[in-house]
Amino acid sequence: MADTPKPLDGLELDVAIIGAGVGGLYALYSMREKLGLNAQTFEMASGVGGTWFWNRYPGCRVDTESTVYTYSFDLDMFQNWDWSERYARQAEVLAYLNAVADKHGLKRSINFNTKIARAEWDDAAKRWVLTTADGQTVRARYLIESVGLLSSSYAPQFPDQDKFKGQILVASKWPEQGADLAGKRVAVVGTGSTGIQIITQIAPTVGHLHVLQRTAQWVVPLGIGPFPQDARARIKLDPVGYRDWALNTGTVFGFVESTTPALSVSEEERQDRFQKAWDKGNGFSFLLETFADLTVSAEANKTATDFIKSKIDAAVKDPKIAAMLTPSDYYARRPLAADGYYETYNRANVTLHDVKAQPIERFTETGLVVGGQEIALDIVIMATGFDAVTGNYLKIDTVGRNGTKLADHWQEGPRSFGGLTIAGFPNLFMVFGPFSPFTSQPLVHEWQVDYFTDLIDAAERSGGVVDTDPAAEEDWVRICQEGLAGTLFQVTDSWINGANIPGKPRTSMWYMNGMANYMVEMNQIRDAGYRGFRIA
Ligand code: N01
């Protein structure tokens, strides 16, 4: 009997898109509705949403204002989507992305539960040949990868992990049906953005919470509250103007970055600015709206950390715990924000462990051994981060022209042109690929997708193949490396520079000159006939 044909096998497309998160959904819309191409999306999850599909852990919400954590292409939805809070919760973001996908009929072009394992460029046929994890083959003229900046989960394995009889939960792969933490003995490993959201959320309801902190973090309040009515009125009145205003800033967080050096003002004014930012909430705002040089000058940075330290000392009753919670490095990781974070450590049911001084040794059947002492636990939550920026690209075995593997091309660290394309990998477009601007994402995703939609449109009219000049890629990487070199982000270990993953090359992965400058540079490239791209 002949084999039943597999449903995808042999599919021929104009455009294959990997990922149905914020960027992937808009890429699908643009390819299908704007360019009229035959496009389909391949998505590992069973639904849309990308990071918002997987990250269902307690306390998960955006820490970018909902005003800019949105699409703008559907002006009606941009003006009228009724965000309930200033910082939307995960469920609300996921509902919004589903509503966008439903309104525009996107789901009919998405293959869910489908993992792309391999992508190889066939130079003779001018096609990408994609292979799914279950061995089916799809061919497409263009390949768009919107695979997520922070979506390749990282969870270290500790010795004897398999012996633990309790539950181990990875925050970024949280069970869809939820997890019952009430009254339980819970450990949280990790105190990044994920960890601090979980810690502040679950502390009041768990039996006992053990926070296993390796590196203390500078945390400011987030300022949770209702959606700001003044911003809503502005967006309703002039949505395009609001969007363009937001894009024409450095980080697209809904504020304009300061141009004032911290030490150029009096001590009184400096304290006043920090206090106002503290009262308003938001990590990016505290770091960038207060002063211009906190990320580049150690002296300026110290004025901010002295301020936050004074807040830690005031909030935390036990001076020993306050000292454990005070970082020793710069305020130059991805800025964190959570309401009441430090106060959580005053609770009788919360214990802070310094696992740098007293490392996590191993699991037992009933808990974890930390610094020689067993902590009895029902649940261990790994909030240990992501193989950021490059992780998901490299999980796909990608082969470009002349058999060049992406893993080899990126061996010393990633390379790209404009965060969008890679030399020798024709017709491959990335949404928020390495060396994209260091910004909040949805509006920037839209901008990048619009940019390469125009580029694909140009290619369609002149041969249909876009490659990247290796010299242009080299220049872009150099500009980006110079941009990071001047900042304290480079000398402070975090996922921003790859230092969080053992063995990962430590490198720049960002365009650090801000979105406004990025748009100018990319528009100049377009206006010079897409200089640096090779359309053939
Ligand atoms: O990951 P992280 P994240 N033993 O890498 C610790 C976005 N995001 O998931 O600092 C013990 O920041 C590690 O310790 P150390 C946002 O952009 C946004 O929290 O390496 N600990 C660190 O404390 C964010 O920046 C939101 O010493 C170990 C933690 O795990 C990015 O995602 C919410 C360990 C990892 O922190 C990543 O945040 C959530 C080990 N072996 C995420 N290994 C919003 O608010 C790692 N750690 C929108």
Side-chain angles (χ1 to χ4, degrees):
M1 210 168 80
D3 285 347
T4 314
K6 296 172 187 167
L8 293 176
D9 221 12
L11 187 65
E12 292 277 346
L13 297 170
D14 293 325
V15 189
I17 297 156
I18 307 178
V22 175
L25 288 177
Y26 183 56
L28 174 60
Y29 172 85
S30 299
M31 294 300 117
R32 217 181 64 181
E33 306 301 324
K34 291 190 180 170
L35 297 187
L37 295 174
N38 175 16
Q40 287 203 25
T41 295
F42 303 90
E43 166 58 59
M44 271 194 303
S46 60
V48 301
T51 202
W52 301 105
F53 177 92
W54 298 108
N55 285 267
R56 295 163 191 261
Y57 60 79
C60 183
R61 63 169 78 228
V62 289
D63 67 356
T64 312
E65 291 212 11
S66 313
T67 47
V68 286
Y69 205 91
T70 172
Y71 295 115
S72 67
F73 76 95
D74 181 328
L75 284 184
D76 177 47
M77 283 187 90
F78 185 33
Q79 286 172 298
N80 296 313
W81 183 263
D82 206 10
W83 294 108
S84 60
E85 291 188 74
R86 184 177 170 205
Y87 299 102
R89 288 172 194 271
Q90 173 268 339
E92 194 169 1
V93 182
L94 190 59
Y96 167 72
L97 294 173
N98 271 288
V100 173
D102 289 337
K103 177 173 174 186
H104 295 283
L106 299 179
K107 290 178 185 171
R108 71 181 146 83
S109 303
I110 303 175
N111 301 277
F112 292 108
N113 303 305
T114 305
K115 181 176 173 181
I116 300 297
R118 183 175 164 82
E120 179 164 10
W121 175 250
D122 176 343
D123 210 25
K126 310 281 179 250
R127 298 254 181 312
W128 280 98
V129 183
L130 308 183
T131 313
T132 64
D134 63 356
Q136 306 185 68
T137 301
V138 174
R139 291 151 62 87
R141 296 193 294 122
Y142 299 96
L143 173 60
I144 297 172
E145 293 198 13
S146 186
V147 292
L149 165 73
L150 289 152
S151 85
S152 176
S153 286
Y154 169 67
Q157 287 282 314
F158 294 98
D160 296 338
Q161 194 152 324
D162 54 332
K163 296 197 175 126
F164 182 52
K165 297 228 163 92
Q167 229 183 336
I168 299 174
L169 299 170
V170 176
S172 51
K173 293 275 177 286
W174 200 258
E176 236 179 299
Q177 70 279 13
D180 181 13
L181 307 178
K184 303 270 171 61
R185 298 163 302 175
V186 179
V188 174
V189 184
T191 50
S193 301
T194 305
I196 64 164
Q197 287 187 328
I198 296 174
I199 291 161
T200 45
Q201 179 74 21
I202 69 174
T205 50
V206 295
H208 200 95
L209 175 62
H210 294 272
V211 177
L212 307 190
Q213 169 191 277
R214 194 165 66 177
T215 307
Q217 299 271 9
W218 300 109
V219 182
V220 306
L222 183 57
I224 290 171
F227 191 88
Q229 291 308 317
D230 53 341
R232 176 163 279 153
R234 252 178 98 185
I235 294 167
K236 272 191 189 278
L237 193 67
D238 181 12
V240 174
Y242 186 86
R243 188 267 320 274
D244 291 347
W245 165 78
L247 281 172
N248 270 293
T249 60
T251 50
V252 196
F253 266 81
F255 61 79
V256 177
E257 288 77 7
S258 171
T259 53
T260 309
L263 295 163
S264 69
V265 301
S266 67
E267 174 68 14
E268 194 187 356
E269 185 180 341
R270 202 161 42 241
Q271 295 304 315
D272 186 51
R273 282 200 196 196
F274 283 140
Q275 185 61 48
K276 284 193 174 116
W278 183 271
D279 294 341
K280 176 181 143 193
N282 188 311
F284 276 84
S285 163
F286 192 89
L287 186 66
L288 300 169
E289 197 179 5
T290 48
F291 294 105
D293 54 351
L294 301 185
T295 60
V296 290
S297 151
E299 220 182 341
N301 194 270
K302 188 168 183 310
T303 64
T305 55
D306 283 349
F307 180 89
I308 304 175
K309 183 177 175 346
S310 73
K311 295 293 185 189
I312 300 173
D313 291 342
V316 181
K317 288 185 188 141
D318 181 339
K320 277 199 207 119
I321 303 291
M324 283 167 75
L325 287 167
T326 304
S328 54
D329 50 6
Y330 294 120
Y331 182 36
R333 294 173 150 212
R334 196 274 199 196
L336 304 192
D339 291 334
Y341 176 67
Y342 294 118
E343 287 80 357
T344 302
Y345 294 91
N346 293 330
R347 298 181 62 91
N349 71 333
V350 176
T351 306
L352 178 65
H353 302 261
D354 175 354
V355 298
K356 193 171 268 171
Q358 309 276 316
I360 302 170
E361 290 168 22
R362 64 189 161 86
F363 274 90
T364 64
E365 285 190 4
T366 49
L368 272 170
V369 177
V370 174
Q373 304 282 318
E374 183 175 2
I375 308 172
L377 295 165
D378 303 305
I379 297 174
V380 175
I381 300 174
M382 299 290 179
T384 41
F386 300 89
D387 182 356
V389 188
T390 54
N392 271 352
Y393 292 102
L394 291 172
K395 278 184 179 164
I396 301 167
D397 179 17
T398 308
V399 183
R401 271 202 167 120
N402 306 319
T404 303
K405 281 182 170 281
L406 184 62
D408 292 334
H409 191 64
W410 283 5
Q411 198 172 21
E412 315 269 294
R415 312 178 60 73
S416 87
F417 184 44
L420 301 176
T421 60
I422 308 164
F425 294 78
N427 285 10
L428 169 57
F429 298 91
M430 300 178 286
V431 183
F432 228 74
F435 301 115
S436 287
F438 188 68
T439 58
S440 83
Q441 297 192 45
L443 293 176
V444 177
H445 285 191
E446 267 189 344
W447 196 90
Q448 288 191 325
V449 171
D450 285 345
Y451 191 92
F452 68 63
T453 299
D454 290 346
L455 183 52
I456 290 173
D457 194 26
E460 283 292 276
R461 285 180 271 110
S462 50
V465 179
V466 183
D467 204 345
T468 302
D469 181 351
E473 182 184 84
E474 184 68 33
D475 273 356
W476 188 261
V477 171
R478 185 184 41 75
I479 290 169
C480 291
Q481 281 168 344
E482 286 169 3
L484 190 75
T487 72
L488 299 172
F489 290 115
Q490 193 185 31
V491 292
T492 308
D493 287 354
S494 80
W495 63 260
I496 292 172
N497 49 42
N500 67 321
I501 300 295
K504 183 166 177 169
R506 190 185 170 117
T507 175
S508 165
M509 297 193 279
W510 300 96
Y511 174 86
M512 279 292 189
N513 299 339
M515 185 60 187
N517 289 325
Y518 175 78
M519 292 191 297
V520 169
E521 292 204 41
M522 296 307 293
N523 286 340
Q524 282 170 353
I525 287 168
R526 181 200 58 208
D527 296 344
Y530 289 114
R531 168 173 39 85
F533 294 104
R534 289 177 177 166
I535 304 179

